[in-house]
Amino acid sequence: MRNFTSLSVIITVSFLMFSFESSAKKIPLKYKATESKSVSFDKNYVINLTVTEGAINDFYKKYPKLKKYQNDVLDLYKKKEFKSIWYDDRNISEFGSLLYHKVKQLNEQGIKATMPYRDLIDDVFNENVTEDLPQIDTELLLSNMYVFYASNVYSGVDPATLKKIGWFLPTKTISYTKILDSLMVDPARLNKDENLLYGQYYKLKSVLQRYRNIEKNNQWKKIEIDSANYKDLKPFDSGVAVKQIRERLFVVGDLAQDSKRDVYDEEMMAGILKYKKRYGLTLNYTLTRDHINQMNEPIGKRIKTIMLNMERCRWIPANLAQANEYIMVNIPSFRLVYVKNGKYDLVSDVFVGTRMTETVIFSGMMDRIVFSPYWYVPQSIIKNELKLKMAEDKNYLADHNMEWNGGNVRQKPGPKNSLGLVKFMFPNPNDIYLHDTPAKSLFEFEKRIFSHGCINVKEAKNLALEILKDDPDWPVDKINQAMSGEKETTCKLKNKIPIYIGYFTAWVNDDGEIGFYPDVYDRDPQLDKLLYSDSVASK
């Protein structure tokens, strides 16, 4: 076991940062492990603990609730040549003590899981406990504690379960041995490591603490209204509710100060716009009863939403956002961002699939842009919708610029084409793509679930212009001509662009402002049940 005396300063700072309740207990070496048996010896005699496969097998017979970690723990010791991981001479290493305190603070990571046999591990670090566990038990309990911590914090729900709940974005693969090595070299990574966790995770973690403080200090106060006789609040209205709303806006950071005025003044108007922007609401000054009801949802619900989205961040490769160029669509926020060289080149509203035809959560590689596209009507739409309309009106296809094409129905290019004037293709088994739309009025709705699964982009033309702006073969004039609606024209991209279609009901921007978005497909309760069911003591 490597002695990390050079890290004593870092360890000391880490202990101060997390306000540890007590100093780590130094555990005298009393036992020598031979297979699964422990033999006491003179405590002044120093030996090196060796862990064997037999000892590991016997450990899990003794502690069966940890059986799920056996293969990972065995792999740790194979990579470490079956040497002790947690003992430094005769004492538990400082890193072992630091990790224990991080496990005690799992709630700060939005995790409610409790490790089996937690009481025994508590005793290991309790200076008042006089009867110590056999050294081999302590060693293996700490290894299980590490895998428990790493699996909960760095990995989350396993990939097989993610597929069952319809999450097909790339998942990361982690090596517990490599993670352990990196943490032991630099324990500060226990506090933050964006090589292990997607950066959004730490932003949510910071806001989680802020909202828990609001809850602890009883600052989330109900806004009192007469629901039966409520009239929309508008600028320069006055009343007790206005004063209470102002206080809420201050508490959550939408107002820099609380003047305690009961008049809906200009200062409060700015706060309301900020609030509505964070919740994906129509940006106006009117406060309806629905808005007040939303404000009156318990803060516990907001906290749970943050925790659920921290979990979603655990599933994502940490380097996802490090690509030079990518597109991300967040279904609940009805928003698309095109990122290039670390900057938002374009942000656009979108609308997505209905509850019956949900947009799938997955990723792909955009390889081409099709201007003035044909729309090949899916067989499901022909069967369930078009056949009935054609039976009622023999001119239906012609009137809608459609035609038969080899046994299929397609809509000809043009401004009224259901795909608009441009579509963005990324091969996938779900036949989902991004496209323009002639139905621009649908972007005026707050809850935009209208499509058959594809993603309709408000700024579709501008997205095409941004993607191709550095391509000399596609100047603006050529793009405009291709989008005239006369004939279908395909542009094959010289570099494929990653596209991620995700599902986050809470998201923190670079200014630390959190947005909460509608759970349009009711995925939060599903994940909540999976993670926090009363019947599940640990993950």
Side-chain angles (χ1 to χ4, degrees):
M1 179 69 192
R2 182 178 176 184
N3 189 350
F4 293 97
T5 56
S6 63
L7 295 172
S8 60
V9 174
I10 295 176
I11 298 298
T12 302
V13 172
S14 298
F15 273 75
L16 292 173
M17 287 175 61
F18 289 96
S19 302
F20 293 152
E21 297 173 2
S22 62
S23 299
K25 180 185 175 186
K26 293 296 185 179
I27 310 299
L29 188 62
K30 294 182 180 179
Y31 300 90
K32 177 180 179 181
T34 305
E35 291 294 323
S36 64
K37 298 180 181 180
S38 300
V39 181
S40 62
F41 64 99
D42 188 285
K43 67 180 181 179
N44 294 316
Y45 180 72
V46 179
I47 64 168
N48 292 320
L49 173 67
T50 299
V51 181
T52 67
E53 287 195 46
I56 292 173
N57 290 334
D58 287 346
F59 174 86
Y60 288 104
K61 292 177 183 176
K62 188 174 181 181
Y63 303 99
K65 294 180 182 179
L66 295 171
K67 182 74 175 177
K68 63 186 293 186
Y69 304 123
Q70 183 169 354
N71 290 337
D72 292 317
V73 169
L74 178 60
D75 186 60
L76 282 180
Y77 284 100
K78 285 181 178 179
K79 300 289 177 57
K80 297 291 185 181
E81 298 180 339
F82 290 95
K83 295 179 181 178
S84 170
I85 296 173
W86 305 105
Y87 280 90
D88 183 359
D89 291 333
R90 69 186 59 215
N91 300 318
I92 290 179
S93 66
E94 289 181 298
F95 176 75
S97 301
L98 178 60
L99 179 65
Y100 165 69
H101 283 283
K102 294 296 289 184
V103 171
K104 286 179 66 178
Q105 297 165 341
L106 269 181
N107 190 48
E108 293 183 2
Q109 309 282 354
I111 297 170
K112 289 186 176 180
T114 301
M115 182 180 171
Y117 311 107
R118 166 69 184 272
D119 56 334
L120 295 180
I121 295 177
D122 288 341
D123 287 346
V124 168
F125 293 90
N126 186 346
E127 294 180 345
N128 297 319
V129 173
T130 57
E131 185 175 351
D132 295 316
L133 287 171
Q135 187 191 12
I136 187 65
D137 287 24
T138 299
E139 169 77 21
L140 291 174
L141 277 172
L142 296 186
S143 293
N144 280 269
M145 179 183 73
Y146 161 70
V147 175
F148 164 81
Y149 178 85
S151 63
N152 276 276
V153 174
Y154 300 127
S155 181
V157 176
D158 63 277
T161 302
L162 292 182
K163 290 182 179 180
K164 290 179 182 178
I165 64 175
W167 184 278
F168 299 103
L169 281 173
T171 54
K172 60 186 177 185
T173 56
I174 63 174
S175 165
Y176 293 128
T177 303
K178 290 181 179 179
I179 291 175
L180 180 60
D181 288 343
S182 69
L183 293 176
M184 295 180 85
V185 169
D186 184 3
R189 289 184 173 184
L190 279 170
N191 300 333
K192 185 176 182 179
D193 189 343
E194 292 191 2
N195 292 315
L196 286 175
L197 286 167
Y198 184 47
Q200 177 66 201
Y201 176 87
Y202 293 106
K203 294 178 182 178
L204 287 166
K205 182 174 178 285
S206 177
V207 176
L208 175 65
Q209 183 61 48
R210 179 150 51 93
Y211 271 64
R212 281 179 169 162
N213 287 337
I214 292 172
E215 182 182 44
K216 180 181 178 181
N217 296 327
N218 195 31
Q219 294 174 292
W220 193 273
K221 298 176 182 178
K222 185 177 180 180
I223 297 163
E224 303 291 344
I225 62 169
D226 181 356
S227 296
N229 300 303
Y230 180 81
K231 293 183 179 180
D232 291 351
L233 282 176
K234 297 180 179 180
F236 307 111
D237 286 347
S238 62
V240 175
V242 172
K243 185 177 181 180
Q244 293 171 334
I245 293 168
R246 184 190 299 277
E247 180 182 8
R248 171 67 62 79
L249 295 175
F250 169 69
V251 167
V252 298
D254 293 323
L255 282 178
Q257 61 182 0
D258 180 8
S259 67
K260 301 188 182 302
R261 293 191 66 196
D262 63 358
V263 177
Y264 188 173
D265 55 18
E266 292 182 358
E267 181 183 48
M268 186 167 156
M269 290 180 211
I272 289 297
L273 287 184
K274 197 171 181 180
Y275 175 88
K276 286 193 170 187
K277 184 177 181 181
R278 291 193 303 108
Y279 278 76
L281 303 172
T282 301
L283 296 182
N284 58 37
Y285 298 120
T286 301
L287 286 172
T288 67
R289 182 172 54 188
D290 287 342
H291 293 142
I292 304 302
N293 288 340
Q294 184 184 65
M295 289 183 177
N296 277 335
E297 289 176 347
I299 190 172
K301 183 176 180 179
R302 296 281 168 265
I303 290 172
K304 178 62 70 67
T305 299
I306 296 171
M307 293 168 64
L308 294 174
N309 286 278
M310 288 175 69
E311 174 65 23
R312 290 179 175 122
C313 288
R314 293 187 183 99
W315 310 337
I316 297 176
N319 62 355
L320 178 144
Q322 295 174 9
N324 291 332
E325 185 178 23
Y326 65 92
I327 292 170
M328 182 177 287
V329 176
N330 184 25
I331 293 171
S333 67
F334 311 110
R335 187 67 55 85
L336 172 151
V337 295
Y338 170 52
V339 180
K340 194 168 185 178
N341 298 322
K343 297 180 180 180
Y344 283 14
D345 256 27
L346 180 136
V347 178
S348 175
D349 289 341
V350 301
F351 64 78
V352 297
T354 67
R355 289 299 308 272
M356 295 295 293
T357 55
E358 293 183 4
T359 298
V360 182
I361 299 167
F362 75 109
S363 66
M365 297 295 291
M366 184 186 297
D367 61 358
R368 62 194 186 278
I369 301 174
V370 181
F371 297 106
S372 301
Y374 283 98
W375 176 44
Y376 290 85
V377 184
Q379 289 298 322
S380 59
I381 297 178
I382 295 175
K383 179 181 177 181
N384 298 324
E385 300 178 32
L386 279 189
K387 282 188 175 181
L388 179 61
K389 293 177 180 177
M390 286 187 288
E392 294 174 348
D393 180 3
K394 64 180 182 180
N395 295 319
Y396 182 84
L397 293 184
D399 291 343
H400 289 81
N401 205 29
M402 294 181 176
E403 63 184 7
W404 285 102
N405 178 260
N408 297 309
V409 175
R410 68 181 185 180
Q411 189 175 34
K412 299 175 186 178
K416 294 184 179 181
N417 185 286
S418 295
L419 304 183
L421 294 173
V422 60
K423 67 177 179 179
F424 306 83
M425 303 298 293
F426 41 102
N428 64 87
N430 306 296
D431 197 27
I432 287 177
Y433 42 89
L434 309 178
H435 64 81
D436 185 23
T437 176
K440 303 297 185 184
S441 62
L442 295 180
F443 291 109
E444 297 176 7
F445 289 82
E446 290 181 347
K447 189 175 181 180
R448 298 189 290 274
I449 49 173
F450 303 114
S451 79
H452 287 86
C454 286
I455 298 160
N456 294 240
V457 183
K458 184 177 182 180
E459 301 294 335
K461 180 178 180 178
N462 288 332
L463 178 59
L465 289 171
E466 287 298 318
I467 291 173
L468 297 174
K469 69 180 179 181
D470 296 324
D471 188 339
D473 296 333
W474 282 92
V476 174
D477 289 346
K478 184 176 179 179
I479 293 173
N480 288 334
Q481 177 60 37
M483 291 183 68
S484 65
E486 296 178 3
K487 65 176 183 177
E488 184 174 271
T489 305
T490 299
C491 165
K492 187 175 181 180
L493 298 179
K494 294 177 180 177
N495 297 301
K496 295 180 180 180
I497 302 174
I499 177 167
Y500 306 101
I501 302 171
Y503 196 96
F504 294 90
T505 52
W507 190 267
V508 182
N509 65 20
D510 291 339
D511 295 324
E513 298 169 341
I514 187 165
F516 292 100
Y517 308 112
D519 182 16
V520 289
Y521 297 155
D522 290 333
R523 287 179 171 267
D524 279 4
Q526 181 186 21
L527 182 57
D528 186 7
K529 184 177 180 180
L530 181 66
L531 295 178
Y532 306 120
S533 172
D534 292 338
S535 63
V536 179
S538 63
K539 292 198 293 182

